[in-house]
PDB file of all heavy atoms in Angstrom:
ATOM      1  N   ARG K 169      13.427  16.399 -36.048  1.00  0.00           N
ATOM      2  CA  ARG K 169      14.510  16.013 -36.946  1.00  0.00           C
ATOM      3  C   ARG K 169      14.150  16.246 -38.411  1.00  0.00           C
ATOM      4  O   ARG K 169      14.836  15.758 -39.303  1.00  0.00           O
ATOM      5  CB  ARG K 169      14.825  14.536 -36.725  1.00  0.00           C
ATOM      6  CG  ARG K 169      15.728  14.298 -35.517  1.00  0.00           C
ATOM      7  CD  ARG K 169      15.526  12.917 -34.945  1.00  0.00           C
ATOM      8  NE  ARG K 169      16.492  12.633 -33.878  1.00  0.00           N
ATOM      9  CZ  ARG K 169      16.441  13.175 -32.657  1.00  0.00           C
ATOM     10  NH1 ARG K 169      15.498  14.042 -32.373  1.00  0.00           N
ATOM     11  NH2 ARG K 169      17.337  12.869 -31.744  1.00  0.00           N
ATOM     12  N   MET K 170      13.054  16.970 -38.641  1.00  0.00           N
ATOM     13  CA  MET K 170      12.632  17.145 -40.018  1.00  0.00           C
ATOM     14  C   MET K 170      12.904  18.547 -40.581  1.00  0.00           C
ATOM     15  O   MET K 170      12.475  18.882 -41.672  1.00  0.00           O
ATOM     16  CB  MET K 170      11.134  16.864 -40.136  1.00  0.00           C
ATOM     17  CG  MET K 170      10.824  15.417 -39.874  1.00  0.00           C
ATOM     18  SD  MET K 170       9.362  14.929 -40.764  1.00  0.00           S
ATOM     19  CE  MET K 170       9.388  15.926 -42.193  1.00  0.00           C
ATOM     20  N   GLY K 171      13.571  19.377 -39.803  1.00  0.00           N
ATOM     21  CA  GLY K 171      13.808  20.764 -40.230  1.00  0.00           C
ATOM     22  C   GLY K 171      14.615  20.855 -41.517  1.00  0.00           C
ATOM     23  O   GLY K 171      15.104  19.850 -42.038  1.00  0.00           O
ATOM     24  N   SER K 172      14.736  22.072 -42.012  1.00  0.00           N
ATOM     25  CA  SER K 172      15.331  22.255 -43.325  1.00  0.00           C
ATOM     26  C   SER K 172      16.847  22.469 -43.289  1.00  0.00           C
ATOM     27  O   SER K 172      17.617  21.734 -43.867  1.00  0.00           O
ATOM     28  CB  SER K 172      14.684  23.460 -43.999  1.00  0.00           C
ATOM     29  OG  SER K 172      15.260  23.662 -45.253  1.00  0.00           O
ATOM     30  N   ARG K 173      17.243  23.521 -42.570  1.00  0.00           N
ATOM     31  CA  ARG K 173      18.662  23.786 -42.393  1.00  0.00           C
ATOM     32  C   ARG K 173      19.420  24.033 -43.707  1.00  0.00           C
ATOM     33  O   ARG K 173      20.582  23.654 -43.849  1.00  0.00           O
ATOM     34  CB  ARG K 173      19.344  22.601 -41.700  1.00  0.00           C
ATOM     35  CG  ARG K 173      19.272  22.684 -40.205  1.00  0.00           C
ATOM     36  CD  ARG K 173      19.660  21.396 -39.533  1.00  0.00           C
ATOM     37  NE  ARG K 173      18.596  20.974 -38.623  1.00  0.00           N
ATOM     38  CZ  ARG K 173      18.390  21.558 -37.446  1.00  0.00           C
ATOM     39  NH1 ARG K 173      19.146  22.538 -37.051  1.00  0.00           N
ATOM     40  NH2 ARG K 173      17.392  21.176 -36.673  1.00  0.00           N
ATOM     41  N   ALA K 174      18.754  24.642 -44.693  1.00  0.00           N
ATOM     42  CA  ALA K 174      19.472  24.954 -45.941  1.00  0.00           C
ATOM     43  C   ALA K 174      20.472  26.081 -45.684  1.00  0.00           C
ATOM     44  O   ALA K 174      20.227  26.974 -44.867  1.00  0.00           O
ATOM     45  CB  ALA K 174      18.475  25.383 -47.018  1.00  0.00           C
ATOM     46  N   GLN K 175      21.560  26.003 -46.352  1.00  0.00           N
ATOM     47  CA  GLN K 175      22.542  27.082 -46.237  1.00  0.00           C
ATOM     48  C   GLN K 175      22.055  28.292 -47.012  1.00  0.00           C
ATOM     49  O   GLN K 175      21.371  28.156 -48.027  1.00  0.00           O
ATOM     50  CB  GLN K 175      23.885  26.623 -46.816  1.00  0.00           C
ATOM     51  CG  GLN K 175      24.539  25.493 -46.030  1.00  0.00           C
ATOM     52  CD  GLN K 175      24.831  25.912 -44.603  1.00  0.00           C
ATOM     53  OE1 GLN K 175      25.288  27.038 -44.379  1.00  0.00           O
ATOM     54  NE2 GLN K 175      24.544  25.044 -43.646  1.00  0.00           N
ATOM     55  N   THR K 176      22.396  29.461 -46.524  1.00  0.00           N
ATOM     56  CA  THR K 176      22.073  30.664 -47.277  1.00  0.00           C
ATOM     57  C   THR K 176      23.075  30.796 -48.428  1.00  0.00           C
ATOM     58  O   THR K 176      24.274  30.920 -48.170  1.00  0.00           O
ATOM     59  CB  THR K 176      22.175  31.906 -46.382  1.00  0.00           C
ATOM     60  OG1 THR K 176      21.353  31.723 -45.239  1.00  0.00           O
ATOM     61  CG2 THR K 176      21.745  33.146 -47.144  1.00  0.00           C
ATOM     62  N   PRO K 177      22.589  30.754 -49.659  1.00  0.00           N
ATOM     63  CA  PRO K 177      23.521  30.774 -50.799  1.00  0.00           C
ATOM     64  C   PRO K 177      23.987  32.198 -51.089  1.00  0.00           C
ATOM     65  O   PRO K 177      23.441  33.159 -50.559  1.00  0.00           O
ATOM     66  CB  PRO K 177      22.665  30.243 -51.937  1.00  0.00           C
ATOM     67  CG  PRO K 177      21.283  30.677 -51.583  1.00  0.00           C
ATOM     68  CD  PRO K 177      21.200  30.748 -50.090  1.00  0.00           C
ATOM     69  N   ASP K 178      25.012  32.316 -51.901  1.00  0.00           N
ATOM     70  CA  ASP K 178      25.480  33.638 -52.308  1.00  0.00           C
ATOM     71  C   ASP K 178      26.022  33.552 -53.729  1.00  0.00           C
ATOM     72  O   ASP K 178      27.216  33.406 -53.965  1.00  0.00           O
ATOM     73  CB  ASP K 178      26.564  34.149 -51.351  1.00  0.00           C
ATOM     74  CG  ASP K 178      26.855  35.623 -51.598  1.00  0.00           C
ATOM     75  OD1 ASP K 178      26.284  36.195 -52.554  1.00  0.00           O
ATOM     76  OD2 ASP K 178      27.643  36.188 -50.823  1.00  0.00           O
ATOM     77  N   THR K 179      25.108  33.650 -54.678  1.00  0.00           N
ATOM     78  CA  THR K 179      25.508  33.513 -56.092  1.00  0.00           C
ATOM     79  C   THR K 179      25.855  34.858 -56.716  1.00  0.00           C
ATOM     80  O   THR K 179      26.268  34.932 -57.859  1.00  0.00           O
ATOM     81  CB  THR K 179      24.351  32.909 -56.905  1.00  0.00           C
ATOM     82  OG1 THR K 179      23.230  33.801 -56.810  1.00  0.00           O
ATOM     83  CG2 THR K 179      23.981  31.552 -56.380  1.00  0.00           C
ATOM     84  N   GLY K 180      25.619  35.927 -55.967  1.00  0.00           N
ATOM     85  CA  GLY K 180      25.917  37.239 -56.520  1.00  0.00           C
ATOM     86  C   GLY K 180      24.666  37.992 -56.919  1.00  0.00           C
ATOM     87  O   GLY K 180      24.578  39.200 -56.758  1.00  0.00           O
ATOM     88  N   THR K 181      23.673  37.267 -57.433  1.00  0.00           N
ATOM     89  CA  THR K 181      22.430  37.938 -57.800  1.00  0.00           C
ATOM     90  C   THR K 181      21.292  37.416 -56.951  1.00  0.00           C
ATOM     91  O   THR K 181      21.311  36.268 -56.496  1.00  0.00           O
ATOM     92  CB  THR K 181      22.060  37.688 -59.266  1.00  0.00           C
ATOM     93  OG1 THR K 181      21.775  36.299 -59.414  1.00  0.00           O
ATOM     94  CG2 THR K 181      23.218  38.064 -60.184  1.00  0.00           C
ATOM     95  N   LEU K 182      20.273  38.248 -56.748  1.00  0.00           N
ATOM     96  CA  LEU K 182      19.120  37.808 -55.989  1.00  0.00           C
ATOM     97  C   LEU K 182      18.422  36.657 -56.717  1.00  0.00           C
ATOM     98  O   LEU K 182      18.045  35.649 -56.122  1.00  0.00           O
ATOM     99  CB  LEU K 182      18.142  38.975 -55.803  1.00  0.00           C
ATOM    100  CG  LEU K 182      16.859  38.627 -55.073  1.00  0.00           C
ATOM    101  CD1 LEU K 182      17.144  37.973 -53.721  1.00  0.00           C
ATOM    102  CD2 LEU K 182      16.008  39.874 -54.868  1.00  0.00           C
TER     103      LEU K 182
END
Side-chain angles (χ1 to χ4, degrees):
Chain K
R169 279 154 174 73
M170 293 208 31
S172 179
R173 273 167 234 285
Q175 294 299 318
T176 305
D178 191 355
T179 61
T181 66
L182 177 54

